[in-house]
Amino acid sequence: MTDAIAHPSVARLDTQKPKNGLVSRYWLLATLVFMIAVFAFLRPQLVDSSNIATILRSSALTAIMILGLTWVIAAGKIDVSFMHVAALGNMTTAYLLASGHGWLVAGLAGVSVGAIAGVFNGLLVAVMRLQPLIVTIATGGICASIAAALGKGTSIRIADPGPLGDFIFTNIGPVPVIAIAVAVLYAVSWYAQEKLTFGHYIFATAQSEAAVDQAGVSVRNLLMLLFVFSGVMSALTGVLLAASLSSGQPMIGSSYFIDGLTAVLLGGMMLRIGKPNVLGTTTAILILAVLVSGSALLGWADYQRQIIKGILLLIGVTVAMRAVIGRQSQHPEAS
C-alpha cells in the first residue's frame, strides 16, 4: 500500500497533510520539553539515569496497552475494556504459572484471552452494530470478574519472572530495552497510520463509514481488526506486568483507565488536531509519566496529580468533540 488514497470519497474526508500550523501541531511536544525543564530545575533527580529508566519503562508498558485503543478511537469508536482485559491477561498468566505451566504456555494464554475479548467486542460493535461504550463496559466488567475469580479475589505470586523479567529490566545505558522495542513498534505504527492507505481508512471511518465501504473496504472487517488488536495489546501488557511485578494483580487495570484515555485524547491535540494518532499518544504518555515522577519528587499528594490528569482529560475530550463537530459541518454527508 502506498501513501496515496485509493478512493476519492475517502480522499475528501481525510487529508494527507494537516493544514494546522507548525506550532499548533507540535505544541504538545513543546509542553513535554517545558515540563522536563521545569521539574529538572526544581528537582535535578528527575534526570538521574535511574529515574529516566523508570519513566521510560513505565511509559513503555502504558504505550503497549493503549496503542490499539488509539486506533479504535481514531476510527470513531471507544473501548473502555482495555484495562480490564490487561488485568485478565495478567491474572491468566499468573494463574497458569502458579499451576506449574511454563512462561511460553502462560504468556500465550494471557495474550489469547485478549484476542478473544477483542473478537467479542468486534462482533457486538461491528457486526451487531451495538453501541461500543455500552459493549465495552459490559465486556470489561466480565473480564474484571473473571480476573478476580482466578485469584479468588487476591493476588497470585509468581516465583520466577522468567525471560520477560530480564527483557523488562535490562537497560542499554539509561534506556530500558523494552522502551527501545516499543519505540520501534510505535515507529512502524506511525508509518502505517500516517503513510499507508490503512491509516487513512481508519481516520475516514470516524467520519463516514459509508464512504469507506464505497471505497471497497469492509468497515466491519476493519473495526473487527482494530478491536482485536486493542485486546491483544492490552493483554500483552498484562503478561508483561506479571513479569514486572512478579505477581498477578486482579485490580491492576484500574490505575490505567484515566491515564489511557487521557493519553489518547490529549495526544489527539498533536499533529492531526482532534484525531488520535500514535505520535501524539506517545508524547502524551511521556507528559503523564514526567508529571507523576516530577510531582512525586516535589512531594505532591496523589489527589493533586489526579486533579491535573482529570483536567487534561477534559481538555482532550473538548478538543476531540469540537473537531468532530467541525468536520461534520464541513462534510454534512458524512454525519
Side-chain angles (χ1 to χ4, degrees), residues 48-320:
D48 288 348
S49 58
S50 60
N51 197 57
I52 291 174
T54 300
I55 290 175
L56 292 178
R57 187 175 296 111
S58 63
S59 297
L61 291 171
T62 303
I64 296 172
M65 183 184 297
I66 64 174
L67 175 57
L69 176 65
T70 299
W71 283 356
V72 168
I73 297 181
K77 305 302 179 183
I78 187 66
D79 180 3
V80 295
S81 68
F82 69 96
M83 66 284 188
H84 296 309
V85 173
L88 180 57
N90 175 257
M91 288 297 290
T92 299
T93 302
Y95 177 82
L96 290 175
L97 288 170
S99 300
H101 297 279
W103 266 101
L104 180 60
V105 172
L108 289 176
V111 173
S112 296
V113 298
I116 294 171
V119 168
F120 196 54
N121 283 335
L123 287 173
L124 293 177
V125 173
V127 179
M128 298 185 66
R129 312 300 295 176
L130 301 182
Q131 288 295 322
L133 178 61
I134 303 302
V135 167
T136 55
I137 287 175
T139 55
I142 293 171
C143 289
S145 298
I146 297 174
L150 287 174
K152 298 180 180 180
T154 62
S155 61
I156 300 176
R157 183 176 177 276
I158 297 173
D160 179 16
L164 287 182
D166 295 333
F167 172 67
I168 293 171
F169 290 104
T170 297
N171 293 357
I172 297 178
V175 182
V177 172
I178 187 174
I180 297 173
V182 171
V184 173
L185 173 64
Y186 263 63
V188 173
S189 300
W190 170 84
Y191 185 82
Q193 188 176 21
E194 298 295 334
K195 300 298 183 181
L196 301 183
T197 54
F198 167 76
H200 294 293
Y201 286 128
I202 290 177
F203 289 128
T205 298
Q207 299 175 62
S208 175
E209 295 183 9
V212 176
D213 276 323
Q214 290 171 8
V217 175
S218 171
V219 171
R220 287 185 177 184
N221 291 343
L222 178 61
L223 291 177
M224 177 69 75
L225 174 64
L226 295 181
F227 275 105
V228 170
F229 184 60
S230 179
V232 168
M233 290 294 100
S234 298
L236 175 60
T237 305
V239 174
L240 293 171
L241 284 170
S244 175
L245 302 174
S246 295
S247 65
Q249 302 286 340
M251 300 301 295
I252 198 170
S254 59
S255 61
Y256 287 93
F257 178 60
I258 295 296
D259 285 5
L261 290 178
T262 301
V264 174
L265 293 173
L266 191 64
M269 299 169 63
M270 177 176 170
L271 191 60
R272 290 173 172 268
I273 307 303
K275 297 181 179 181
N277 58 88
V278 295
L279 183 59
T281 295
T282 305
T283 306
I285 289 171
L286 290 173
I287 285 177
L288 292 175
V290 170
L291 171 64
V292 170
S293 180
S295 60
L297 291 172
L298 290 173
W300 293 2
D302 181 66
Y303 75 86
Q304 293 173 305
R305 293 194 293 269
Q306 296 303 322
I307 290 174
I308 295 175
K309 289 179 181 179
I311 293 172
L312 292 176
L313 177 58
L314 287 174
I315 293 173
V317 170
T318 300
V319 172

